[in-house]
Amino acid sequence: MKVLVIGGGAREHALCRSLSLDPDVTALHCAPGNAGIAEVAELHPVDQLDGGAVVALATGLGADLVVVGPEAPLVAGVADAVRAVGIPVFGPSGEAALLEGSKAFAKDVMAGAGVPTARSYVCTTPAEIDEALDAFGAPYVVKDDGLAAGKGVVVTGDVEVARAHALACDRVVIEEYLDGPEVSLFAICDGTTVLPLQPAQDFKRALDGDEGPNTGGMGAYSPLPWADPKLVDEVLETVLQPTVDELRRRGTPFSGLLYAGLALTGRGVRVIEFNARFGDPETQVVLARLKTPLAGVLLNSANGTLADQAPLAWRDEAAVTVVVASHNYPDTPRTGDPIEGLAEVAEQDAPHAYVLHAGTRRDGDAVVSAGGRVLSVTATGSDLAQARDRAYAAVGRIRLDGSQHRTDIALKAAGA
């Protein structure tokens, strides 16, 4: 099978790494990719948002499967363009991807499906914003209705901060605060069948102790030793399957990766948000634990044959990912700094720990930073404590001027 992956972040590196280990994959391509992905796939330049350009590349390569990684191309309808020429594609249609592209659309689908979520208001005027903030009180949860690269949500006790964020958005969703631990659960779908993966937890705040601004994610771990063993079955029954059924009823079947961000509240499971693609950095730890070869599963999703998929096999190991970010992230990050120590990790920590590239590029013989989140250092171990130790040992070998990372990823869970 020839596979083309669209995207260039750590999520795509994790996907490419897993696909490169699949014996059914005979050729692996990625567009545009990054410096790390270049080690496992052939890179090609492409405008990720241009469906015609992606189709031309896939056709020229003779791709048997196209995997669209990021949300922006999905919302732009790139998967539709590929599907229209008869190439199997893993990723939802532009219409179905509105589940992530519009918070208001997602709330409407959840209402139709009877999916438990936070009470909310959709606001477009200053008066509506003030009314919603007053109705819910602190802590305030304010979400940009559109795509914001994981940084469109503000959770704050300060009403002026909440109001300022809301006023900066064209349309905004203001909702009640959900207490309790958060869980990320991915499910591979084909419009009808829903195949859940193993749950993970990510760390959204920039600083230790869940302090600082929201980010795209500073680390993750899986499994969750504190979670109810029946959690996945419950979420499949009350959230994932009803959502997929509702979208099919509306004539917009969801095929691809459905991501449910969940809060385990005192009143039960509640959906915080849906995404229409693999989440970063949770993908890094979930795929590290997946034993079943990946390409066939994604192809079954693309072809509508997930019902024929054998049950997924999982490694007993735990996995931890620590994100190394640029100076000043999540504000405008500094880029172009050389990254050293990658060879040392490969020599001394493999196969238990490895580096997945996010924002990197080649500059001559050097690898330099090219984004806010630069690397995802991922490790496996017999339990979370060992995986965590291995991940941080590898982080310690990496040298990137001004870089930052959290030191408490999976710390509480490892002691559980």
Side-chain angles (χ1 to χ4, degrees), residues 9-19 283-284 287 294 356:
R11 163 187 46 231
E12 288 76 34
H13 194 175
L15 287 164
C16 285
R17 179 182 183 273
S18 291
L19 290 166
T283 302
Q284 290 85 302
L287 292 186
L294 184 61
L356 297 169

Side-chain angles (χ1 to χ4, degrees), residues 256-273:
L257 196 289
L258 178 58
Y259 163 118
L262 309 164
L264 308 188
T265 76
R267 294 170 292 134
V269 174
R270 297 287 185 274
V271 175
I272 300 169
E273 64 174 353

Side-chain angles (χ1 to χ4, degrees), residues 234-305:
E234 179 188 345
V235 175
L236 176 62
E237 184 180 331
T238 63
V239 174
L240 299 170
Q241 192 70 57
T243 299
V244 169
D245 291 346
E246 173 68 10
L247 285 166
R248 188 175 71 252
R249 186 187 69 76
R250 292 177 179 221
T252 55
F254 190 99
S255 170
L257 196 289
L258 178 58
Y259 163 118
L262 309 164
L264 308 188
T265 76
R267 294 170 292 134
V269 174
R270 297 287 185 274
V271 175
I272 300 169
E273 64 174 353
F274 283 128
N275 290 338
R277 39 77 197 181
F278 278 104
D280 180 343
E282 300 97 320
T283 302
Q284 290 85 302
V285 292
V286 172
L287 292 186
R289 299 185 57 224
L290 179 64
K291 191 186 289 186
T292 301
L294 184 61
V297 185
L298 302 187
L299 188 62
N300 277 333
S301 165
N303 287 335
T305 52

Side-chain angles (χ1 to χ4, degrees), residues 25-391:
V25 175
T26 53
L28 182 59
H29 302 270
C30 187
N34 62 39
I37 296 173
E39 296 175 13
V40 294
E42 185 179 341
L43 303 191
H44 305 269
V46 79
D47 178 353
Q48 298 178 64
L49 302 180
D50 184 339
V54 172
V55 166
L57 177 60
T59 304
L61 293 172
D64 302 301
L65 173 67
V66 175
V67 179
V68 184
E71 60 272 26
L74 291 168
V75 172
V78 167
D80 302 89
V82 176
R83 218 172 259 120
V85 297
I87 300 174
V89 58
F90 180 79
S93 66
E95 211 170 343
L98 275 179
L99 206 56
E100 176 171 4
S102 168
K103 302 288 190 296
F105 176 76
K107 288 289 187 184
D108 188 60
V109 170
M110 284 188 266
V115 168
T117 186
R119 292 179 300 122
S120 64
Y121 294 104
V122 180
C123 307
T124 55
T125 68
E128 289 173 346
I129 287 166
D130 288 341
E131 191 178 335
L133 293 173
D134 289 343
F136 287 129
Y140 304 97
V141 181
V142 183
K143 300 180 175 181
D144 190 333
D145 181 54
L147 293 179
K151 296 188 280 289
V153 180
V154 164
V155 181
T156 177
D158 187 328
V159 68
E160 293 306 324
V161 172
R163 182 178 285 114
H165 182 65
L167 290 170
C169 304
D170 289 334
R171 185 159 80 150
V172 68
V173 175
I174 296 174
E175 63 184 40
E176 68 176 326
Y177 176 76
L178 297 176
D179 64 335
E182 295 184 12
V183 173
S184 299
L185 186 62
F186 299 155
I188 293 173
C189 313
D190 67 358
T192 303
T193 301
V194 180
L195 186 65
L197 305 185
Q198 289 289 303
Q201 186 174 60
D202 77 331
F203 294 75
K204 282 281 192 288
R205 299 284 189 171
L207 307 176
D208 285 3
D210 290 328
E211 300 288 333
N214 258 355
T215 71
M218 295 299 289
Y221 68 91
S222 180
L224 313 181
W226 46 268
D228 187 327
K230 301 190 189 79
L231 176 65
V232 173
D233 290 340
E234 179 188 345
V235 175
L236 176 62
E237 184 180 331
T238 63
V239 174
L240 299 170
Q241 192 70 57
T243 299
V244 169
D245 291 346
E246 173 68 10
L247 285 166
R248 188 175 71 252
R249 186 187 69 76
R250 292 177 179 221
T252 55
F254 190 99
S255 170
L257 196 289
L258 178 58
Y259 163 118
L262 309 164
L264 308 188
T265 76
R267 294 170 292 134
V269 174
R270 297 287 185 274
V271 175
I272 300 169
E273 64 174 353
F274 283 128
N275 290 338
R277 39 77 197 181
F278 278 104
D280 180 343
E282 300 97 320
T283 302
Q284 290 85 302
V285 292
V286 172
L287 292 186
R289 299 185 57 224
L290 179 64
K291 191 186 289 186
T292 301
L294 184 61
V297 185
L298 302 187
L299 188 62
N300 277 333
S301 165
N303 287 335
T305 52
L306 264 185
D308 302 331
Q309 173 68 44
L312 298 178
W314 295 92
R315 297 183 177 89
D316 292 333
E317 293 179 309
V320 171
T321 284
V322 179
V323 170
V324 176
S326 292
H327 175 73
N328 206 39
Y329 178 78
D331 291 328
T332 305
R334 192 174 79 202
T335 60
D337 290 311
I339 304 165
E340 298 177 339
L342 297 173
E344 293 169 39
V345 174
E347 290 165 9
Q348 300 181 46
D349 300 289
H352 303 297
Y354 48 88
V355 178
L356 297 169
H357 292 232
T360 69
R361 63 179 174 81
R362 280 250 166 225
D363 184 4
D365 291 335
V367 175
V368 301
S369 61
R373 291 186 296 173
V374 181
L375 305 169
S376 283
V377 181
T378 302
T380 55
S382 58
D383 56 20
L384 284 174
Q386 187 180 49
R388 189 175 181 282
D389 287 346
R390 286 171 170 172

